[in-house]
Amino acid sequence: MLDALQWFVDLGSIVVLPILIFIFGVALGTKPGKAFTSALMVGVGFVGLNLVIDLLGGSLGPAAQQMVERFGLNLTTIDIGWPAAAAISYGTVLGSLAIPIGVGLNILLIVLGLTKTLNVDIWNIWHAAFISSLVYALTNNFAMGIFATVVYLMMILLFGDILGPVIKKFYGFPNITFPHGTAAPGFIFAIPLNWLFDRTPGLKDWKADPETIQKKFGVFGDSTVMGFMIGLVMGILAGYDVAGTGQLAIKTAAVMVLMPKMVALLMEGLTPISESANQFVQKKFPGRELYIGMDAALSVGHPAVLSSSLLLVPITILLAVILPGNTTLPFGDLATIPFLVCLMAAVFGGNIIRTVIGGSIYMVTILYITSWVAPLVTASAKAANFDLQGNSMITALAEGGLWTTWMYVGLTKILSWGGLAIIGAAVLIGLIYVNKILPKKKGEMI
């Protein structure tokens, strides 16, 4: 059974997701023909999105590495990027159990009315597998690793429930949410920062959404031109010649244009399934909502997200150099920065200045946490027989540096089972409040 499941996961997200979209679409009442074309469009959209992300990573990664070599930086922990982290996570028996646990738990919580999120983004359950692998590396306790998986999956569904209304308001995606391990923690991190920014003289009055910036700066405020200019600066800092700098500038401009178009393709495929899900829930569970849990890739095409993310690439490298005690060399996950800040941008209302400042603060914490957790990531990689390619210490910004990772590993290290139990209790209370108590309060107010 596990071998068959692993085979299915190994088909890759661009195959797995359309199959799941088709199955869920038909189960929710979409006509088979429509469900098939919708699933196919989702697959096509993800292929296009991955191509654009690969273009971004293939352009910025070498430029960043060139900058590091040019300025003679000495950082001993290599950021291997999320694809390698996912492979490590699914490379053990403990990791491979995350998907069946995730599917079963999701269905159970929906039936019990403890979540509104139907997570079809099964591939990204690797985040839960990653956390459980670190817990196992720390404790050598398989049962504790399983418990960490369950608690993490419940937490990410809670995040999905909270995010649903925000996604609809900011991105305009109805009945869609992002129970995504890389993106959702940024949303929580941004909330107190936004409160602080609202009370900071000067900053609280700066309007810096893409539309306002374009009005103030004309052609230089256009997101495509901004991408070009950022690529130009990156090329110069990397020491590229005129041809290399020009190509990098055009490629970053291309990312700004192509990313939103790929997201539009994805939404074209998802809309019929989302509508069927809503109709199904209203029929079976009157008065309840259902969100389709998707990859946060749907959100990274927003101009505020892309502009902020491109600015954060050189900022992240600079921070890695100047922060005392940091050992992490940002590399593999530089192209994943849009996923780290996409939901921060939603909290900040698309304000690019706030997103860059908040994202910079976030990256400080991420760099320190990745450095701290690197020994456990390296141990997990060795347990999964992952090729370290000569690196003595590895880490991954996109999951290894998040505050959620710090919370799970830190509390487990201090309190063992008690630490995970505290997180689990808090998450369960959150699910009950969001899905049971809050709807009753709203009903009483009406």
Side-chain angles (χ1 to χ4, degrees), residues 17 20-21 24 106 118-123 270 292-294:
L17 194 58
L20 293 173
I21 290 291
F24 281 120
N106 193 185
L118 174 62
N119 188 18
V120 301
D121 185 26
I122 288 178
W123 166 257
L270 279 173
I292 303 296
M294 286 296 300

Side-chain angles (χ1 to χ4, degrees), residues 77 134 138 325-328 365-378 393-395 400-414:
T77 303
L134 296 188
L138 179 66
N326 170 63
T327 64
T328 299
T365 67
I366 286 173
L367 286 167
Y368 277 128
I369 294 171
T370 48
S371 301
W372 172 70
V373 84
L376 293 179
V377 176
T378 306
M393 199 70 70
I394 62 172
T395 193
L402 304 183
W403 63 265
T404 46
T405 301
W406 173 82
M407 177 177 68
Y408 278 87
V409 173
L411 284 179
T412 301
K413 192 172 185 178
I414 297 169

Side-chain angles (χ1 to χ4, degrees), residues 125-137:
I125 288 178
W126 75 263
H127 295 277
F130 181 86
I131 292 296
S132 64
S133 296
L134 296 188
V135 168
Y136 180 73

Side-chain angles (χ1 to χ4, degrees), residues 289-427:
E289 290 181 286
L290 184 69
Y291 302 131
I292 303 296
M294 286 296 300
D295 193 315
L298 282 170
S299 67
V300 300
H302 194 283
V305 175
L306 285 177
S307 300
S308 303
S309 300
L310 289 175
L311 289 167
L312 280 165
V313 170
I315 290 172
T316 299
I317 296 169
L318 175 63
L319 288 171
V321 175
I322 65 174
L323 287 175
N326 170 63
T327 64
T328 299
L329 170 62
F331 178 65
D333 270 332
L334 285 174
T336 312
I337 289 178
F339 290 82
L340 290 168
V341 302
C342 58
L343 297 179
M344 298 182 78
V347 176
F348 299 137
N351 188 307
I352 293 174
I353 292 176
R354 289 192 180 198
T355 306
V356 171
I357 295 173
S360 299
I361 296 170
Y362 195 31
M363 291 310 303
V364 170
T365 67
I366 286 173
L367 286 167
Y368 277 128
I369 294 171
T370 48
S371 301
W372 172 70
V373 84
L376 293 179
V377 176
T378 306
S380 298
K382 290 177 179 177
N385 297 316
F386 182 79
D387 184 5
L388 297 182
Q389 299 179 341
N391 296 301
S392 59
M393 199 70 70
I394 62 172
T395 193
L397 291 177
E399 183 63 46
L402 304 183
W403 63 265
T404 46
T405 301
W406 173 82
M407 177 177 68
Y408 278 87
V409 173
L411 284 179
T412 301
K413 192 172 185 178
I414 297 169
L415 300 173
S416 188
W417 280 97
L420 291 177
I422 290 171
I423 302 171
V427 168

Side-chain angles (χ1 to χ4, degrees), residues 15 38-39 106 112 126 129 140 158 166 243 250 366 395 405:
V15 176
S38 294
N106 193 185
L112 294 175
W126 75 263
N140 202 33
L158 172 61
V166 179
I250 294 296
I366 286 173
T395 193
T405 301

Side-chain angles (χ1 to χ4, degrees), residues 179-323:
H180 190 274
T182 298
F187 172 82
I188 305 297
F189 191 89
I191 292 173
L193 286 179
N194 197 50
W195 181 90
L196 181 64
F197 294 160
D198 281 339
R199 288 155 180 80
T200 302
L203 183 56
K204 66 179 181 179
D205 300 318
W206 289 350
K207 291 185 178 180
D209 57 274
E211 294 79 11
T212 302
I213 287 177
Q214 188 161 357
K215 285 179 183 177
K216 286 185 177 180
F217 296 98
V219 65
F220 292 103
D222 180 84
S223 60
T224 309
V225 177
M226 287 177 65
F228 175 83
M229 297 300 292
I230 293 167
L232 205 63
V233 172
M234 284 286 291
I236 293 169
L237 290 174
Y240 284 0
D241 58 19
V242 174
T245 301
Q247 289 175 17
L248 179 60
I250 294 296
K251 286 177 180 178
T252 51
V255 168
M256 299 293 286
V257 174
L258 295 174
M259 192 82 85
K261 295 185 184 300
M262 296 305 104
V263 172
L265 277 179
L266 272 166
M267 284 309 301
E268 184 181 332
L270 279 173
T271 299
I273 308 300
S274 176
E275 291 172 350
S276 295
N278 192 45
Q279 292 169 5
F280 177 84
V281 170
Q282 291 306 314
K283 183 179 178 181
K284 300 290 185 182
F285 307 101
R288 281 179 60 183
E289 290 181 286
L290 184 69
Y291 302 131
I292 303 296
M294 286 296 300
D295 193 315
L298 282 170
S299 67
V300 300
H302 194 283
V305 175
L306 285 177
S307 300
S308 303
S309 300
L310 289 175
L311 289 167
L312 280 165
V313 170
I315 290 172
T316 299
I317 296 169
L318 175 63
L319 288 171
V321 175
I322 65 174
L323 287 175

